[in-house]
Amino acid sequence: MSGESTPESASREQTQVEIYRKVVTIRFAELRIRSHVEKEGFGGFWHPGIGQEGLQAGAIAAMRPDDYLYYAHRGLGYAYAKGMDLVELFSDLLGRATGSTRGKGGGTVHFADAEKHVLGQGGTLGSNFVMGAGTAVSSQLLGDDRVTVVFFGDGASGRGTWHEAALQASVWKLPVVWICENNGWALSARFEDQSPTEHVADRAPAYGMPGVIVDGQDAMAVLDATSEAVERARRGEGPTLIEAKTLRIRGHYEGDRQPYRADPVLGDEIPNDPVHRLGEGIPDEVRRTIDAEARQLVEEAFDAALAAPKADTSVIFEDVWA
Ligand SMILES: Cc1ncc(C[n+]2csc(CCOP(=O)(O)OP(=O)(O)O)c2C)c(N)n1
């Protein structure tokens, strides 16, 4: 954020500030959940997205509010960045009646908000791929100009569902953007031990689509790559595979002791921290104000969710279709 300001650079700076606000809010939310899990225990598995917030918020900033989102299991950043309410998100995780699923996701990452076009994630890893292709077919048939964005991990990229969905999306030129968060690990398996190619994006040409590699710790670079892919999809030119290189900072879930890993990050220092990257160039005073507001928002939302009534088991079969 230096040099002469033009209308384009001013709006780019504004975008950077808006993404920064989302990213620090997500970071504080992640840290708040972590401290809750550490101190109070948790009735499920919390898969932290710490260190991956920049790519989640950067990519979603390229979407229109009415574009469809399927997220992955690492964190709540996707849903928050797409406009969902923090009290609802915390409530879902804590099994509270005030959650978007009325607490049915309890302890795991399951949120949904039809008005915000957040369509959730599948119960099995990789089922999002076919659902995402399906939503994109609906947009194509309805001619509604919407794009579907599907997030997934490097481990999930090995599912057969990815290959069939990618093939069909490419043949039919479906408006989908596939975003792989390659954090180097699938539970306890290293990426290099589960992939014959150096990059997930190397597989894209086999499906006749562009494969783009981007630094996932650089939210603005992810924004640019995703914007291009979204516009391509909206023009009717079909899907793009984006591979955002990132890091899995902590265990597979919070509390995972990671015996399989020689370099676990145990402290709070995040290598190549996307928050710092994004904050570079934003004036200190602006950053400090945003940080304080985000911290307060998160604390109040978490307290509100904790104070909310627990989900009643009677709702278990409501809003559920087989
Ligand atoms: C079909 C299926 N297989 C296995 C699992 C268990 N599982 C959940 S997450 C995960 C690892 C996912 O790795 P990756 O896709 O790279 O995402 P990351 O956890 O690294 O973000 C596994 C094996 C599952 N939920 N569904």
Short mmCIF file of all heavy atoms in Angstrom, two decimals, residues 47-48 52 72-74 78 122-127 152-159 180-189 191 194 248 251-253, ligand 1:
data_model
loop_
_atom_site.label_atom_id
_atom_site.label_comp_id
_atom_site.label_asym_id
_atom_site.label_seq_id
_atom_site.Cartn_x
_atom_site.Cartn_y
_atom_site.Cartn_z
N HIS A 47 -11.20 -29.79 13.81
CA HIS A 47 -10.09 -29.77 12.85
C HIS A 47 -9.71 -28.31 12.62
O HIS A 47 -10.41 -27.60 11.89
CB HIS A 47 -10.51 -30.40 11.52
CG HIS A 47 -11.01 -31.80 11.64
ND1 HIS A 47 -12.34 -32.12 11.72
CD2 HIS A 47 -10.34 -32.97 11.71
CE1 HIS A 47 -12.48 -33.43 11.83
NE2 HIS A 47 -11.29 -33.97 11.83
N PRO A 48 -8.64 -27.84 13.25
CA PRO A 48 -8.35 -26.42 13.17
C PRO A 48 -7.93 -25.98 11.77
O PRO A 48 -7.27 -26.71 11.04
CB PRO A 48 -7.20 -26.23 14.16
CG PRO A 48 -6.59 -27.57 14.34
CD PRO A 48 -7.65 -28.59 14.05
N GLN A 52 -4.62 -21.46 7.61
CA GLN A 52 -5.23 -21.61 6.28
C GLN A 52 -6.33 -20.57 6.04
O GLN A 52 -7.02 -20.60 5.02
CB GLN A 52 -5.79 -23.04 6.12
CG GLN A 52 -4.69 -24.09 6.22
CD GLN A 52 -5.11 -25.54 6.03
OE1 GLN A 52 -4.49 -26.44 6.56
NE2 GLN A 52 -6.16 -25.79 5.27
N ALA A 72 -14.58 -27.46 3.08
CA ALA A 72 -13.93 -28.65 3.62
C ALA A 72 -14.02 -28.63 5.15
O ALA A 72 -14.65 -27.75 5.71
CB ALA A 72 -12.48 -28.70 3.14
N HIS A 73 -13.39 -29.61 5.80
CA HIS A 73 -13.61 -29.77 7.24
C HIS A 73 -12.65 -28.95 8.10
O HIS A 73 -12.70 -29.03 9.31
CB HIS A 73 -13.46 -31.25 7.61
CG HIS A 73 -12.13 -31.81 7.22
ND1 HIS A 73 -11.84 -32.20 5.93
CD2 HIS A 73 -10.99 -32.00 7.93
CE1 HIS A 73 -10.60 -32.62 5.87
NE2 HIS A 73 -10.05 -32.50 7.07
N ARG A 74 -11.72 -28.19 7.45
CA ARG A 74 -10.71 -27.54 8.27
C ARG A 74 -11.09 -26.12 8.66
O ARG A 74 -10.74 -25.16 8.00
CB ARG A 74 -9.34 -27.60 7.58
CG ARG A 74 -8.21 -27.42 8.57
CD ARG A 74 -6.92 -28.09 8.16
NE ARG A 74 -6.94 -29.54 8.22
CZ ARG A 74 -6.95 -30.27 9.34
NH1 ARG A 74 -6.94 -29.68 10.51
NH2 ARG A 74 -6.96 -31.59 9.28
N TYR A 78 -14.46 -20.67 6.00
CA TYR A 78 -15.21 -20.61 4.74
C TYR A 78 -16.60 -20.02 4.97
O TYR A 78 -17.04 -19.10 4.27
CB TYR A 78 -15.41 -22.00 4.15
CG TYR A 78 -14.29 -22.98 4.28
CD1 TYR A 78 -14.17 -23.80 5.40
CD2 TYR A 78 -13.35 -23.11 3.26
CE1 TYR A 78 -13.14 -24.72 5.50
CE2 TYR A 78 -12.34 -24.04 3.36
CZ TYR A 78 -12.24 -24.84 4.49
OH TYR A 78 -11.23 -25.76 4.58
N GLY A 122 -20.15 -32.80 2.70
CA GLY A 122 -20.67 -34.15 2.81
C GLY A 122 -20.20 -34.82 4.09
O GLY A 122 -19.21 -34.41 4.70
N GLY A 123 -20.91 -35.85 4.51
CA GLY A 123 -20.51 -36.59 5.69
C GLY A 123 -19.26 -37.42 5.43
O GLY A 123 -18.50 -37.73 6.34
N THR A 124 -19.03 -37.79 4.18
CA THR A 124 -17.79 -38.50 3.85
C THR A 124 -16.92 -37.58 3.00
O THR A 124 -17.41 -36.83 2.16
CB THR A 124 -18.07 -39.77 3.03
OG1 THR A 124 -18.87 -39.43 1.90
CG2 THR A 124 -18.77 -40.82 3.85
N LEU A 125 -15.65 -37.67 3.28
CA LEU A 125 -14.67 -36.84 2.58
C LEU A 125 -14.81 -37.05 1.07
O LEU A 125 -14.84 -38.19 0.61
CB LEU A 125 -13.29 -37.32 3.04
CG LEU A 125 -12.11 -36.42 2.88
CD1 LEU A 125 -12.25 -35.21 3.79
CD2 LEU A 125 -10.85 -37.20 3.26
N GLY A 126 -14.91 -35.98 0.31
CA GLY A 126 -14.92 -36.12 -1.14
C GLY A 126 -16.30 -36.24 -1.75
O GLY A 126 -16.44 -36.23 -2.97
N SER A 127 -17.35 -36.32 -0.91
CA SER A 127 -18.69 -36.37 -1.52
C SER A 127 -19.09 -35.00 -2.06
O SER A 127 -19.98 -34.89 -2.89
CB SER A 127 -19.72 -36.92 -0.54
OG SER A 127 -19.63 -36.26 0.70
N PHE A 152 -11.39 -28.53 -0.91
CA PHE A 152 -11.04 -29.90 -0.48
C PHE A 152 -9.55 -29.97 -0.17
O PHE A 152 -8.78 -29.09 -0.56
CB PHE A 152 -11.41 -30.92 -1.56
CG PHE A 152 -10.77 -30.65 -2.91
CD1 PHE A 152 -9.64 -31.36 -3.31
CD2 PHE A 152 -11.30 -29.70 -3.76
CE1 PHE A 152 -9.06 -31.11 -4.55
CE2 PHE A 152 -10.71 -29.44 -5.00
CZ PHE A 152 -9.59 -30.14 -5.40
N GLY A 153 -9.16 -31.03 0.52
CA GLY A 153 -7.75 -31.20 0.88
C GLY A 153 -7.01 -32.06 -0.13
O GLY A 153 -7.62 -32.68 -1.01
N ASP A 154 -5.69 -32.12 0.04
CA ASP A 154 -4.88 -32.94 -0.88
C ASP A 154 -5.23 -34.42 -0.72
O ASP A 154 -5.23 -35.17 -1.70
CB ASP A 154 -3.39 -32.71 -0.63
CG ASP A 154 -3.03 -32.73 0.84
OD1 ASP A 154 -3.42 -31.78 1.55
OD2 ASP A 154 -2.37 -33.69 1.30
N GLY A 155 -5.57 -34.83 0.51
CA GLY A 155 -5.97 -36.23 0.70
C GLY A 155 -7.26 -36.53 -0.05
O GLY A 155 -7.37 -37.55 -0.75
N ALA A 156 -8.22 -35.62 0.06
CA ALA A 156 -9.51 -35.82 -0.61
C ALA A 156 -9.36 -35.87 -2.13
O ALA A 156 -10.19 -36.49 -2.82
CB ALA A 156 -10.48 -34.71 -0.21
N SER A 157 -8.30 -35.25 -2.64
CA SER A 157 -8.12 -35.23 -4.10
C SER A 157 -7.89 -36.63 -4.66
O SER A 157 -7.94 -36.85 -5.86
CB SER A 157 -6.97 -34.31 -4.51
OG SER A 157 -5.72 -34.91 -4.20
N GLY A 158 -7.62 -37.60 -3.78
CA GLY A 158 -7.42 -38.98 -4.23
C GLY A 158 -8.71 -39.77 -4.33
O GLY A 158 -8.69 -40.92 -4.81
N ARG A 159 -9.80 -39.18 -3.89
CA ARG A 159 -11.07 -39.91 -3.97
C ARG A 159 -11.52 -40.09 -5.43
O ARG A 159 -11.35 -39.17 -6.25
CB ARG A 159 -12.19 -39.14 -3.25
CG ARG A 159 -12.23 -39.26 -1.74
CD ARG A 159 -12.49 -40.62 -1.17
NE ARG A 159 -13.65 -41.36 -1.68
CZ ARG A 159 -14.91 -41.22 -1.28
NH1 ARG A 159 -15.21 -40.36 -0.34
NH2 ARG A 159 -15.87 -41.96 -1.79
N CYS A 180 -8.10 -26.82 -4.09
CA CYS A 180 -7.41 -27.77 -3.23
C CYS A 180 -6.52 -27.02 -2.24
O CYS A 180 -5.65 -26.26 -2.63
CB CYS A 180 -6.55 -28.73 -4.06
SG CYS A 180 -5.65 -29.91 -3.03
N GLU A 181 -6.78 -27.25 -0.96
CA GLU A 181 -5.92 -26.68 0.09
C GLU A 181 -4.85 -27.72 0.36
O GLU A 181 -5.07 -28.65 1.14
CB GLU A 181 -6.70 -26.43 1.36
CG GLU A 181 -7.81 -25.42 1.22
CD GLU A 181 -8.62 -25.31 2.51
OE1 GLU A 181 -8.16 -24.67 3.46
OE2 GLU A 181 -9.73 -25.85 2.56
N ASN A 182 -3.73 -27.61 -0.32
CA ASN A 182 -2.68 -28.61 -0.10
C ASN A 182 -1.82 -28.20 1.08
O ASN A 182 -0.90 -27.40 0.95
CB ASN A 182 -1.83 -28.80 -1.36
CG ASN A 182 -0.89 -29.99 -1.21
OD1 ASN A 182 -0.69 -30.48 -0.09
ND2 ASN A 182 -0.33 -30.45 -2.30
N ASN A 183 -2.13 -28.81 2.24
CA ASN A 183 -1.37 -28.49 3.46
C ASN A 183 -0.32 -29.56 3.76
O ASN A 183 0.26 -29.58 4.83
CB ASN A 183 -2.32 -28.28 4.65
CG ASN A 183 -3.13 -29.52 4.99
OD1 ASN A 183 -2.80 -30.63 4.56
ND2 ASN A 183 -4.19 -29.34 5.75
N GLY A 184 -0.08 -30.44 2.79
CA GLY A 184 1.02 -31.40 2.92
C GLY A 184 0.69 -32.67 3.68
O GLY A 184 1.49 -33.59 3.70
N TRP A 185 -0.48 -32.73 4.31
CA TRP A 185 -0.83 -33.89 5.11
C TRP A 185 -2.26 -34.32 4.87
O TRP A 185 -3.14 -33.48 4.68
CB TRP A 185 -0.70 -33.58 6.61
CG TRP A 185 0.69 -33.43 7.08
CD1 TRP A 185 1.38 -32.26 7.21
CD2 TRP A 185 1.58 -34.47 7.50
NE1 TRP A 185 2.65 -32.50 7.67
CE2 TRP A 185 2.79 -33.86 7.87
CE3 TRP A 185 1.47 -35.86 7.59
CZ2 TRP A 185 3.89 -34.59 8.31
CZ3 TRP A 185 2.56 -36.59 8.05
CH2 TRP A 185 3.76 -35.95 8.40
N ALA A 186 -2.48 -35.63 4.88
CA ALA A 186 -3.83 -36.19 4.94
C ALA A 186 -3.82 -37.08 6.18
O ALA A 186 -3.25 -38.17 6.15
CB ALA A 186 -4.15 -37.01 3.70
N LEU A 187 -4.36 -36.56 7.25
CA LEU A 187 -4.27 -37.20 8.56
C LEU A 187 -2.80 -37.48 8.88
O LEU A 187 -2.05 -36.55 9.10
CB LEU A 187 -5.14 -38.46 8.58
CG LEU A 187 -5.87 -38.73 9.89
CD1 LEU A 187 -7.09 -39.61 9.70
CD2 LEU A 187 -4.96 -39.26 10.95
N SER A 188 -2.34 -38.74 8.82
CA SER A 188 -0.93 -39.00 9.15
C SER A 188 -0.09 -39.30 7.90
O SER A 188 1.06 -39.72 8.02
CB SER A 188 -0.85 -40.18 10.12
OG SER A 188 -1.52 -41.29 9.56
N ALA A 189 -0.68 -39.13 6.71
CA ALA A 189 0.05 -39.44 5.47
C ALA A 189 0.57 -38.17 4.80
O ALA A 189 -0.19 -37.22 4.59
CB ALA A 189 -0.87 -40.20 4.51
N PHE A 191 1.83 -35.79 1.82
CA PHE A 191 1.35 -35.66 0.45
C PHE A 191 2.23 -36.45 -0.52
O PHE A 191 1.74 -37.16 -1.40
CB PHE A 191 1.29 -34.18 0.03
CG PHE A 191 0.88 -33.99 -1.39
CD1 PHE A 191 -0.39 -34.37 -1.81
CD2 PHE A 191 1.75 -33.47 -2.33
CE1 PHE A 191 -0.79 -34.23 -3.14
CE2 PHE A 191 1.37 -33.32 -3.66
CZ PHE A 191 0.10 -33.70 -4.05
N GLN A 194 1.40 -40.03 -1.01
CA GLN A 194 0.09 -40.42 -1.53
C GLN A 194 -0.21 -39.81 -2.89
O GLN A 194 -1.33 -39.89 -3.40
CB GLN A 194 -1.04 -40.05 -0.55
CG GLN A 194 -0.78 -38.88 0.36
CD GLN A 194 -1.91 -37.87 0.44
OE1 GLN A 194 -2.91 -38.03 -0.23
NE2 GLN A 194 -1.73 -36.84 1.23
N ARG A 248 -0.26 -27.41 7.20
CA ARG A 248 -1.11 -27.81 8.32
C ARG A 248 -0.31 -27.54 9.58
O ARG A 248 0.65 -28.25 9.88
CB ARG A 248 -1.52 -29.28 8.24
CG ARG A 248 -2.73 -29.55 9.15
CD ARG A 248 -3.08 -31.02 9.23
NE ARG A 248 -2.19 -31.72 10.15
CZ ARG A 248 -2.07 -33.04 10.22
NH1 ARG A 248 -2.78 -33.80 9.42
NH2 ARG A 248 -1.26 -33.59 11.09
N GLY A 251 -2.18 -30.53 14.58
CA GLY A 251 -2.55 -31.91 14.31
C GLY A 251 -3.74 -32.01 13.38
O GLY A 251 -4.33 -30.99 12.99
N HIS A 252 -4.12 -33.25 13.07
CA HIS A 252 -5.29 -33.46 12.23
C HIS A 252 -6.53 -32.88 12.92
O HIS A 252 -7.36 -32.24 12.31
CB HIS A 252 -5.47 -34.95 11.95
CG HIS A 252 -6.69 -35.23 11.14
ND1 HIS A 252 -6.89 -34.71 9.89
CD2 HIS A 252 -7.82 -35.96 11.42
CE1 HIS A 252 -8.07 -35.10 9.42
NE2 HIS A 252 -8.64 -35.85 10.34
N TYR A 253 -6.60 -33.11 14.21
CA TYR A 253 -7.64 -32.51 15.04
C TYR A 253 -6.95 -31.93 16.27
O TYR A 253 -5.79 -32.28 16.57
CB TYR A 253 -8.71 -33.54 15.44
CG TYR A 253 -8.14 -34.74 16.17
CD1 TYR A 253 -8.02 -34.73 17.56
CD2 TYR A 253 -7.68 -35.84 15.47
CE1 TYR A 253 -7.46 -35.81 18.22
CE2 TYR A 253 -7.13 -36.93 16.14
CZ TYR A 253 -7.02 -36.90 17.51
OH TYR A 253 -6.45 -37.97 18.17
C1 LIG B 1 -14.48 -41.32 2.70
C2 LIG B 1 -13.73 -40.91 3.92
N1 LIG B 1 -12.54 -41.49 4.20
C3 LIG B 1 -11.85 -41.13 5.31
C4 LIG B 1 -12.38 -40.19 6.17
C5 LIG B 1 -11.61 -39.83 7.43
N2 LIG B 1 -10.86 -38.57 7.21
C6 LIG B 1 -11.39 -37.39 7.55
S1 LIG B 1 -10.38 -36.12 7.18
C7 LIG B 1 -9.18 -37.17 6.56
C8 LIG B 1 -7.89 -36.64 5.99
C9 LIG B 1 -8.14 -35.59 4.98
O1 LIG B 1 -6.95 -35.07 4.46
P1 LIG B 1 -7.01 -33.85 3.46
O2 LIG B 1 -8.09 -34.04 2.47
O3 LIG B 1 -5.64 -33.63 2.94
O4 LIG B 1 -7.47 -32.64 4.38
P2 LIG B 1 -6.74 -31.99 5.64
O5 LIG B 1 -7.23 -32.76 6.87
O6 LIG B 1 -5.28 -32.10 5.45
O7 LIG B 1 -7.20 -30.59 5.67
C10 LIG B 1 -9.62 -38.47 6.64
C11 LIG B 1 -8.82 -39.65 6.19
C12 LIG B 1 -13.62 -39.60 5.84
N3 LIG B 1 -14.16 -38.64 6.59
N4 LIG B 1 -14.28 -39.97 4.72
#
